[in-house]
Amino acid sequence: MIRSFLVALALSLLPVGAQAQTYVDRCRSDVEPGGMNLATALAVSRDIIIDCPRGSSIRITQGYRLPPGVSIEGQGTTLDAHGLQGTIFYVPQGDFSAQNLTIQNAKRWRSQLGRLASVLLVQGNATLEDVELVANEAPVEVGGTVTVIRGAFLGNASTALYARSEAIIRDTRFLGNGTGLVMRSGTVTKSVFSRNTNAGLRISHATDDVTITGATFTSNEGGGAVQLSQRAGTEGVLITIRRSRFENNVNTSGGGAITIYDSTATASSVARPILMRMPPARFLVAYSQFIRNQGTQAGAIEADLSYSDGLQVVGGIFVSNVSSSVGGAIAAKGRGMLVEHSLFRGNDAPRGAAIYADYPDGDSRWIVSNSLFAGNSTTDGGIIQANPVELYNVTIARNTGIGVVSDFHGPASPATKLANTIISENSTGNCRGVPRAAFEGSNLVFGIVDCGGASELDPMLDSMFVPALGSPVLAMGDIDTCRSAPVSRNDIVFQSRATGDRCALGAFERPPHRRAPDILER
């Protein structure tokens, strides 16, 4: 320990430019004699290149306390801790970087500060490029900005990457870990989260905006794919998930794909008052696919929005998601939610086969526009089950269950509104508890006639639920509804509406020129 301290002190006094590259040529152990081993290189240099044959494995026998600015170029080498307990690289001040390196089989140990990361603990910034962390225990924790490019976290126990501040993650795989990634701000781009056993990604009390783009979440279990706290660490935070795919994720206590949760619910009596003072976050899920996810509180998205600034879902594709209780695709409560330009097909739940929304906060609005609900199924409720709910240019057709249910926990709220809707051929009814006054402008019902404020006509929907040529709904739409928000002159696939003096009811203005999913994924 004294030697490491004296070496670090001596290096800190050297000008950075005075430190030449040091080549490691001992390739069996970090203390192997007969040349330049890794232990010596770390003691005399900050710029280290491991000059061993690609695929070599160097046994790590001890941990290292490093000065700021150490960089390790591995050139395809593996550092194998063989179960060593401790932190391999500890950087108490400054930055660290590594490239083209695999580090495996490290175990963490408990100090007076708690359990420390087993591979890399950096108080400053860290950059990992083409680095793989394999079969370690909680391998990486970074206090500053952590940048990972083309990385891989494979089969690590506990949390694979804990970013206490900003994370910039690109083209990285998180496979088979406990939790893949914990972060509070930054970006995740074109990365894969799969087979993690306690959620793929957790964003807790974000201190700045977080954007997830082009990510894939498959077969994550325990906590599902993504866990988001409804409260943020600072004002005005936006959490965005865009152009991502969620498939076959399972959550045993929330939404199969995404859970927005109240962090105060399980907090200690000491922590709860602090958390209660934190400001709300806002959530946007855009042009993302949710396929065959399973949850106990929602098949795809469970959104406890009580202490948030609300949720917007745009361009969502929800197919074959299953909930064991409510919300086959989405279950929400609390603050407002806007769902637009979205497809719900083949989702299943006992109540709210596609959407379930309950317990609104004050004057919160739950709005659905330019969306299609078809082939969903429920045993004891509606396809959309919400009180209150506002539906604008929505098609709800050929589902198993009741199309719209608004009379649970008492009669439907006066805020319930339906305009330019098609509710057709749902197996056990089209409306329940929807008052006549809720229907505004033009609406259409077909099959079981139980929507008192809607016209009874066959909408002539084809197999894709688009009104066929000659359908009466093509000219029945209320033009003011089509032109104003939230419809805003577009249909489900962003084709123009209301270009003349008329518009259509339902999700589609006319047959799309391209497949709906192609456009919804933009």
Side-chain angles (χ1 to χ4, degrees):
M1 179 64 72
I2 295 175
R3 178 176 177 272
S4 297
F5 171 77
L6 292 175
V7 168
L9 178 62
L11 282 173
S12 69
L13 297 175
L14 286 174
V16 174
Q19 299 170 34
Q21 292 177 332
T22 299
Y23 288 81
V24 172
D25 58 11
R26 301 292 86 192
C27 304
R28 295 180 180 178
S29 164
D30 57 346
V31 293
E32 180 184 356
M36 179 59 70
N37 59 43
L38 182 60
T40 303
L42 290 169
V44 301
S45 177
R46 294 183 184 177
D47 192 353
I48 297 165
I49 297 175
I50 299 178
D51 193 20
C52 294
R54 179 171 289 274
S56 297
S57 181
I58 298 175
R59 180 163 190 154
I60 300 299
T61 63
Q62 60 186 312
Y64 297 92
R65 182 186 178 103
L66 302 180
V70 170
S71 174
I72 301 175
E73 167 57 61
Q75 298 196 121
T77 298
T78 295
L79 305 183
D80 194 333
H82 286 272
L84 178 71
Q85 193 173 37
T87 300
I88 297 176
F89 300 123
Y90 173 44
V91 187
Q93 293 181 325
D95 304 338
F96 174 89
S97 66
Q99 304 83 36
N100 301 302
L101 191 64
T102 297
I103 308 174
Q104 63 189 30
N105 297 323
K107 305 295 182 184
R108 62 180 178 173
W109 62 287
R110 182 180 292 278
S111 75
Q112 293 179 344
L113 301 176
R115 287 189 178 272
L116 304 178
S118 64
V119 172
L120 179 63
L121 178 59
V122 183
Q123 301 302 330
N125 303 325
T127 299
L128 306 177
E129 188 169 351
D130 296 298
V131 172
E132 292 190 357
L133 285 301
V134 182
N136 304 287
E137 186 179 23
V140 179
E141 181 176 341
V142 179
T145 297
V146 56
T147 302
V148 182
I149 301 171
R150 295 182 303 276
F153 294 79
L154 311 176
N156 299 284
S158 191
T159 298
L161 174 56
Y162 178 30
R164 297 205 304 265
S165 182
E166 181 183 31
I168 301 171
I169 313 297
R170 189 170 77 237
D171 299 309
T172 293
R173 296 172 294 146
F174 296 85
L175 310 181
N177 306 286
T179 299
L181 169 63
V182 174
M183 63 188 295
R184 301 190 70 190
S185 68
T187 60
V188 177
T189 307
K190 294 182 180 179
S191 295
V192 176
F193 298 78
S194 182
R195 303 190 308 278
N196 300 289
T197 58
N198 191 25
L201 169 64
R202 293 180 183 269
I203 302 171
S204 179
H205 307 118
T207 55
D208 206 341
D209 291 350
V210 177
T211 301
I212 314 300
T213 305
T216 300
F217 297 85
T218 61
S219 303
N220 298 285
E221 298 181 350
V226 177
Q227 296 271 326
L228 308 172
S229 69
Q230 61 183 215
R231 299 176 188 269
T234 190
E235 295 280 355
V237 164
L238 173 63
I239 311 296
T240 300
I241 299 175
R242 184 180 295 274
R243 294 198 306 275
S244 295
R245 183 179 179 90
F246 297 80
E247 187 170 2
N248 294 323
N249 300 287
V250 177
N251 191 342
T252 54
S253 60
I258 298 172
T259 299
I260 301 172
Y261 65 94
D262 179 6
S263 58
T264 68
T266 57
S268 68
S269 59
V270 175
R272 187 175 295 112
I274 299 172
L275 295 175
M276 291 289 288
R277 292 194 295 270
M278 286 185 166
R282 182 163 56 95
F283 303 93
L284 169 62
V285 179
Y287 311 109
S288 294
Q289 300 179 31
F290 299 84
I291 301 171
R292 292 188 298 275
N293 301 286
Q294 299 180 46
T296 57
Q297 300 301 318
I301 301 175
E302 182 199 10
D304 182 348
L305 303 171
S306 300
Y307 301 97
S308 76
D309 274 342
L311 167 66
Q312 180 183 4
V313 178
V314 56
I317 298 176
F318 297 84
V319 178
S320 300
N321 302 285
V322 177
S323 171
S324 59
S325 59
V326 297
I330 300 174
K333 67 179 180 179
R335 301 295 296 170
M337 177 175 69
L338 170 62
V339 178
E340 53 186 348
H341 302 284
S342 294
L343 167 68
F344 296 80
R345 187 79 185 262
N347 303 286
D348 182 273
R351 290 174 291 164
I355 294 178
Y356 183 92
D358 200 1
Y359 303 109
D361 284 351
D363 58 355
S364 297
R365 299 173 66 189
W366 294 325
I367 301 172
V368 183
S369 71
N370 284 325
S371 295
L372 169 63
F373 298 77
N376 304 284
S377 59
T378 179
T379 57
D380 185 31
I383 307 308
I384 297 176
Q385 187 160 339
N387 186 12
V389 67
E390 299 175 45
L391 307 180
Y392 303 96
N393 281 95
V394 170
T395 299
I396 307 167
R398 301 172 193 161
N399 299 280
T400 301
I402 303 171
V404 182
V405 170
S406 291
D407 64 348
F408 59 109
H409 299 307
S413 165
T416 297
K417 296 180 182 179
L418 288 78
N420 286 0
T421 60
I422 298 172
I423 310 174
S424 177
E425 299 177 274
N426 298 291
S427 67
T428 57
N430 287 312
C431 295
R432 195 187 81 192
V434 183
R436 179 179 293 271
F439 292 89
E440 298 184 353
S442 297
N443 296 274
L444 183 146
V445 61
F446 182 65
I448 299 175
V449 183
D450 51 6
C451 301
S455 302
E456 181 189 356
L457 287 170
D458 183 353
M460 299 171 59
L461 302 179
D462 66 15
S463 61
M464 298 301 293
F465 303 92
V466 177
L469 185 66
S471 169
V473 306
L474 294 173
M476 287 180 61
D478 177 74
I479 195 70
D480 290 334
T481 299
C482 286
R483 287 174 175 169
S484 59
V487 179
S488 302
R489 297 177 181 265
N490 291 310
D491 75 354
I492 184 174
V493 291
F494 296 92
Q495 298 180 118
S496 296
R497 285 192 192 270
T499 55
D501 58 357
R502 66 179 192 174
C503 65
L505 301 181
F508 287 97
E509 184 68 16
R510 56 186 172 276
H513 295 298
R514 291 189 286 163
R515 290 190 310 117
D518 290 342
I519 301 172
L520 290 172
E521 291 167 23
R522 70 180 188 176

